[in-house]
């Protein structure tokens, strides 16, 4: 899942982003309201973590602008302002949730997962492709009765392919969604993770869930291979 965090406390933003990245999220950072608004408009994000007290435009203004433009990406307000009227204003401008600093990283993760589940209301809680099951909420994967041991990044790649099962997904789309905006390494890193996934979810079971479409990208078979 790809997240945008708009937070002017740079150290806090970097620490939170590093923690979320370790859990398999791709996190882009902005440190003022105008930059955050531009990134939210132009990026394909699964959720936005938005501070209220920002330079340029405050969080209320950013949130209201996005909702006025029809952007429905889930938004979690993250702020040092603690009061029922502040919370009400955040929710009234279109935020989906509200968390007051200082906060527990465990609680932040839980709030993000809850927003993502609500955003997937029209999708099944667990994606099933034949005997391959992918659970975004618990970030676990099974092939039949066998639990599969995936790293956070491997799961993130599989989750994105699963969200578009049956479609051809290009390397650049996987990079954009699973790695953060600042990644400037070798695009062939995608091939490494696809190879790892095949070794774990396909080869031991005689399956071929992930196929290569030459010159176009990869496809996760809707029947699990």
């Amino acid at each position: 899942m790809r997240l945008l965090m708009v937070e002017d406390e740079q150290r806090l933003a970097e620490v939170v982003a590093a923690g979320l990245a370790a859990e398999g999220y791709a996190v882009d950072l902005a440190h003022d309201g105008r930059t955050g608004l531009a990134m939210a408009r132009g990026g394909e994000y699964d959720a936005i973590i938005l501070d209220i007290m920002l330079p340029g435009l405050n969080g209320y203004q950013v949130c209201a602008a996005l909702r006025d433009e029809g952007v429905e990406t889930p938004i979690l307000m993250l702020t040092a302002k603690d009061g029922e009227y502040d919370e009400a204003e955040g929710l009234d401008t279109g935020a989906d949730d509200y968390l007051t600093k200082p906060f527990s990283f465990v609680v932040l993760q839980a709030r993000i997962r809850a927003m993502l589940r609500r955003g997937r209301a029209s999708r099944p809680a667990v994606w099933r492709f034949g005997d391959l099951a992918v659970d975004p909420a618990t970030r676990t994967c099974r092939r039949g009765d066998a639990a599969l041991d995936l790293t956070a990044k491997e799961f993130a790649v599989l989750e994105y392919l699963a969200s578009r099962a049956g479609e051809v997904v290009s390397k650049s789309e996987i990079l954009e969604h699973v790695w953060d905006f600042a990644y400037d390494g070798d695009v062939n890193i995608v091939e490494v993770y696809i190879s790892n996934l095949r070794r774990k979810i396909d080869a031991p079971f005689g399956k071929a869930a992930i196929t290569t479409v030459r010159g176009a990208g990869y496809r996760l078979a809707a029947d699990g291979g």
Side-chain angles (χ1 to χ4, degrees):
M1 295 289 103
R2 188 176 179 201
L3 308 177
L4 171 64
M5 184 172 187
V6 189
E7 167 62 66
D8 65 331
E9 293 182 49
Q10 189 165 342
R11 177 59 181 160
L12 172 63
E14 290 172 351
V15 169
V16 171
L20 291 171
E23 296 298 319
Y25 296 97
V27 186
D28 293 341
L29 296 177
H31 301 299
D32 64 83
R34 295 189 189 280
T35 301
L37 179 58
M39 292 176 68
R41 283 169 169 162
E44 185 180 331
Y45 294 103
D46 296 286
I48 298 170
I49 304 169
L50 180 63
D51 188 30
I52 288 181
M53 303 300 287
L54 294 167
L57 296 172
N58 65 39
Y60 299 134
Q61 293 170 309
V62 173
C63 183
L66 291 173
R67 295 304 188 232
D68 287 345
E69 294 169 15
V71 177
E72 297 180 355
T73 306
I75 294 174
L76 169 66
M77 289 285 197
L78 187 63
T79 181
K81 299 183 72 174
D82 184 12
E84 60 183 16
Y85 291 106
D86 296 320
E87 181 175 354
E89 185 173 355
L91 296 173
D92 285 343
T93 57
D96 297 87
D97 204 351
Y98 190 100
L99 189 59
T100 303
K101 303 173 187 174
F103 56 87
S104 159
F105 184 71
V106 172
V107 172
L108 174 63
Q109 287 182 277
R111 297 287 184 93
I112 292 170
R113 289 195 298 268
M115 286 200 310
L116 293 173
R117 284 197 300 270
R118 292 195 294 270
R120 298 189 190 104
S122 61
R123 307 181 192 176
V126 178
W127 289 321
R128 299 188 185 279
F129 312 100
D131 64 348
L132 178 66
V134 180
D135 187 343
T138 61
R139 306 190 74 73
T140 57
C141 178
R142 303 184 71 85
R143 176 69 89 169
D145 294 328
L148 305 179
D149 184 18
L150 303 182
T151 67
K153 191 65 77 177
E154 287 167 354
F155 184 86
V157 173
L158 178 60
E159 181 181 23
Y160 187 54
L161 291 174
S163 73
R164 297 181 56 183
E167 300 179 24
V168 177
V169 183
S170 69
K171 279 185 188 178
S172 61
E173 287 176 308
I174 295 172
L175 273 175
E176 180 181 341
H177 206 87
V178 177
W179 277 262
D180 62 44
F181 183 77
Y183 180 77
D184 61 356
D186 190 343
V187 297
N188 290 325
I189 190 70
V190 175
E191 294 179 13
V192 174
Y193 280 90
I194 292 293
S195 177
N196 290 346
L197 284 171
R198 285 172 169 155
R199 179 170 49 82
K200 292 182 177 183
I201 74 172
D202 282 345
F205 308 95
K207 302 282 188 175
I210 302 174
T211 57
T212 300
V213 180
R214 188 173 298 278
Y218 305 97
R219 179 192 291 118
L220 179 70
D223 64 359

